[in-house]
Amino acid sequence: MIIPVPIHSRTHRLFSIVGIELLMLCLFFFVSCGEDRTYEYEEKTACDHWILSTMKENYLWGDSIKEEKLDWKNFFSKPATFFEKVTAFAPINDEFSWCAIDTLQEDYHMRGCFNHYNSYGIDYIVMSDPTGSTSRQYARVMTVYPNSPAQRCGLERGDFIGMVDGTRFSSNINDKLIKGVARKLVVSKLGVNTETDEFVWNQTDTILMESSQYVVDEAFPVYKTFDTSYGRVCYLMCNRLTEGPTENTSNRTASSTEFRDEMIEYMSKIKNEKPYALILDLRLCNYGTISMAQTLASYLVSDVSSTSVFAKTIYRKNKSELNTDYLYKSEGLSNNLGLKELIVITSSYTQGAAEWLIRGVRASMGEEFLTIYGSTTAGQIVLTDAIKSNYFVTLHPAVAYVADGESNYDYAKGIEPSDEIDERSYAFLYPYGNTSEVVLNYILQTLN
């Protein structure tokens, strides 16, 4: 006899079978999820962990880094982002350390809108119509770099760019003047109506500027001599204090010493002039090496012995064996320029090696020997070092203070000029080295 099974019993058996299958499936996934995947975490966070350990060991303020304050999610950040989190522990606002991605071509020594790797070769500021007749904005050209698309198309320092590719200039199209394709520019020059004494546009041209490219940064782009009531005065513009080009390009050699050789040639040329003073224009000098600053300083000072200290590097306690005294170099001292006065021009771009040069010479020779005109400098009181990795990342952390020969490094707020001159507030700008150029003209007047 067949005994019928109640429908609820069959349903119960069916649900039991399905339940067992679901249970087994869940157990399978549980076991799968329970697989040790530590290697994936380690792989994804390895670079940031390397950054942390490297910075704790080498960073000038490595003792300030609090690992416990870094959330585990921080270690999944991009290297540059994680680097910023680590440097945020520094007791000061560290603006001079950076993290570079080796596979990217970025210029970490830009001056405003100008970069070396890909640029039109101009720096500019955005300002409103100086004539006051409109509310339009203009790009006022502050610097035109030699052998650049900007120079070849005829742009000059002080020009006003009013249109780019048929569009009125505004801060929204800034990028079109930094890098890119060939551009059509409408450029105006400022003049003065002699009858009303008002600013007017006295010339407007349309010019074609070729596409952006690598622009060679000349270390010493301008050299001039002047006769003053005090005697012969030389002017030398120095835009960088590296021994040679540092950009990795096909037409430049990174290991070259051409800038150092060029500097020594200028020192010899200036010495032959028997000058009363040298005007050293450092307003665009925003990077370099302590060795190059040491070499140049050795030619500038007088009556200083070869045992005198130009500068000192002061590392943290665990690296104190690296502390170094940089003495003046005998090659420069024996061929010093015999200057009665050193006059330096600075700006907010002036930093690093240029500041170390100023501090070292002033400590050795006194404030009566070195006079500064221009604007307050950036205040780079630290030396950075390049630390490479296997992660296509190079760290450039601050590793030591750079002090003068008297062990002082109290210039974090910048080096203030003896006479402050803000060239941006003047209506007319002229080429660097021109006797009408704002800062140079002021200095020459004090010497006559």
Side-chain angles (χ1 to χ4, degrees):
M1 183 177 71
I2 300 175
I3 302 174
V5 178
I7 185 69
H8 63 84
S9 297
R10 288 199 295 268
T11 304
H12 178 74
R13 181 181 296 175
L14 177 62
F15 284 164
S16 297
I17 294 172
V18 173
I20 292 171
E21 290 177 347
L22 286 173
L23 179 60
M24 292 179 66
L25 189 61
C26 289
L27 286 172
F28 171 77
F29 280 115
F30 179 78
V31 172
S32 299
C33 292
E35 180 182 346
D36 184 5
R37 299 192 175 209
T38 306
Y39 70 94
E40 292 184 2
Y41 172 85
E42 292 177 348
E43 182 178 345
K44 292 179 179 179
T45 64
C47 181
D48 286 353
H49 275 98
W50 172 80
I51 291 175
L52 178 62
S53 61
T54 301
M55 293 292 282
K56 289 176 72 174
E57 173 66 21
N58 298 280
Y59 191 40
L60 180 57
W61 302 288
D63 293 335
S64 299
I65 298 173
K66 306 297 182 184
E67 186 173 355
E68 65 275 9
K69 291 189 177 183
L70 291 169
D71 191 276
W72 65 270
K73 287 182 279 189
N74 294 147
F75 290 90
F76 288 90
S77 304
K78 292 181 179 180
T81 302
F82 185 77
F83 184 81
E84 290 178 359
K85 291 183 181 297
V86 173
T87 54
F89 288 107
I92 69 168
N93 182 21
D94 182 7
E95 299 178 349
F96 304 106
S97 300
W98 77 93
C99 172
I101 307 302
D102 297 343
T103 53
L104 298 179
Q105 229 182 28
E106 293 187 42
D107 188 351
Y108 294 93
H109 302 289
M110 289 183 65
R111 302 186 193 108
C113 303
F114 168 72
N115 75 82
H116 303 86
Y117 289 114
N118 190 7
S119 173
Y120 293 113
I122 57 173
D123 186 23
Y124 62 89
I125 59 173
V126 179
M127 63 178 295
S128 57
D129 184 347
T131 68
S133 58
T134 70
S135 59
R136 292 178 56 182
Q137 288 184 315
Y138 287 81
R140 187 188 193 191
V141 178
M142 301 300 295
T143 303
V144 178
Y145 287 86
N147 304 309
S148 68
Q151 186 191 55
R152 285 191 289 273
C153 75
L155 274 177
E156 296 180 340
R157 179 169 144 87
D159 283 349
F160 289 82
I161 301 173
M163 297 185 76
V164 181
D165 294 340
T167 302
R168 287 184 177 181
F169 180 81
S170 70
S171 55
N172 295 329
I173 62 170
N174 264 343
D175 291 346
K176 287 190 175 183
L177 284 180
I178 296 176
K179 62 181 179 181
V181 299
R183 303 290 186 191
K184 185 170 71 172
L185 309 177
V186 175
V187 181
S188 300
K189 294 184 183 296
L190 195 63
V192 177
N193 185 322
T194 55
E195 294 182 359
T196 63
D197 202 28
E198 295 177 336
F199 292 128
V200 294
W201 298 118
N202 65 2
Q203 181 182 341
T204 299
D205 298 308
T206 299
I207 60 179
L208 183 65
M209 183 168 63
E210 64 193 74
S211 58
S212 59
Q213 62 183 54
Y214 167 69
V215 178
V216 175
D217 191 5
E218 300 293 339
F220 302 94
V222 186
Y223 170 71
K224 296 285 183 70
T225 59
F226 309 101
D227 288 318
T228 72
S229 58
Y230 285 82
R232 180 61 58 90
V233 172
C234 296
Y235 168 92
L236 180 65
M237 187 171 205
C238 174
N239 284 359
R240 64 197 289 183
L241 281 168
T242 58
E243 284 74 4
T246 54
E247 298 82 16
N248 294 318
T249 63
S250 58
N251 61 334
R252 305 292 280 191
T253 304
S255 61
S256 170
T257 60
E258 65 176 272
F259 293 162
R260 184 181 185 278
D261 298 338
E262 185 180 2
M263 183 190 73
I264 293 175
E265 288 180 12
Y266 274 118
M267 293 300 103
S268 177
K269 187 181 298 187
I270 294 170
K271 183 178 176 64
N272 289 336
E273 295 287 344
K274 297 181 171 58
Y276 164 80
L278 170 66
I279 302 171
L280 184 62
D281 194 338
L282 298 175
R283 74 184 101 177
L284 298 181
C285 190
N286 68 338
Y287 68 113
T289 65
I290 193 168
S291 174
M292 189 69 164
Q294 173 192 23
T295 300
L296 178 54
S298 301
Y299 286 92
L300 302 179
V301 296
S302 55
D303 300 323
V304 173
S305 72
S306 58
T307 58
S308 297
V309 179
F310 158 67
K312 299 180 178 184
T313 51
I314 303 173
Y315 288 75
R316 52 191 285 212
K317 288 183 179 180
N318 70 323
K319 299 282 185 179
S320 59
E321 72 278 3
L322 299 176
N323 291 351
T324 303
D325 286 355
Y326 291 83
L327 307 181
Y328 285 97
K329 295 187 176 182
S330 57
E331 62 173 303
L333 293 176
S334 59
N335 293 286
N336 77 82
L337 306 182
L339 300 174
K340 299 295 187 295
E341 186 177 356
L342 175 63
I343 301 169
V344 177
I345 303 177
T346 60
S347 76
S348 58
Y349 288 156
T350 309
Q351 71 179 56
E355 294 178 297
W356 309 336
L357 172 76
I358 294 170
R359 292 282 299 192
V361 172
R362 176 171 274 180
S364 299
M365 299 294 295
E367 293 193 9
E368 66 281 358
F369 175 78
L370 194 156
T371 308
I372 305 173
Y373 296 89
S375 305
T376 302
T377 65
Q380 183 178 342
I381 63 174
V382 295
L383 178 73
T384 61
D385 192 16
I387 305 175
K388 292 188 172 295
S389 72
N390 295 323
Y391 305 101
F392 302 103
V393 169
T394 301
L395 304 184
H396 296 264
V399 294
Y401 291 108
V402 180
D404 58 30
E406 298 176 349
S407 301
N408 296 320
Y409 51 89
D410 54 351
Y411 56 102
K413 294 183 179 179
I415 302 171
E416 295 183 357
S418 310
D419 278 337
E420 186 168 1
I421 305 172
D422 182 7
E423 62 183 359
R424 299 186 179 199
S425 64
Y426 285 76
F428 299 102
L429 301 176
Y430 294 88
Y432 298 115
N434 187 301
T435 54
S436 296
E437 193 275 318
V438 173
V439 185
L440 179 57
N441 179 266
Y442 182 87
I443 294 171
L444 292 177
Q445 287 186 30
T446 65
L447 295 171
N448 282 310

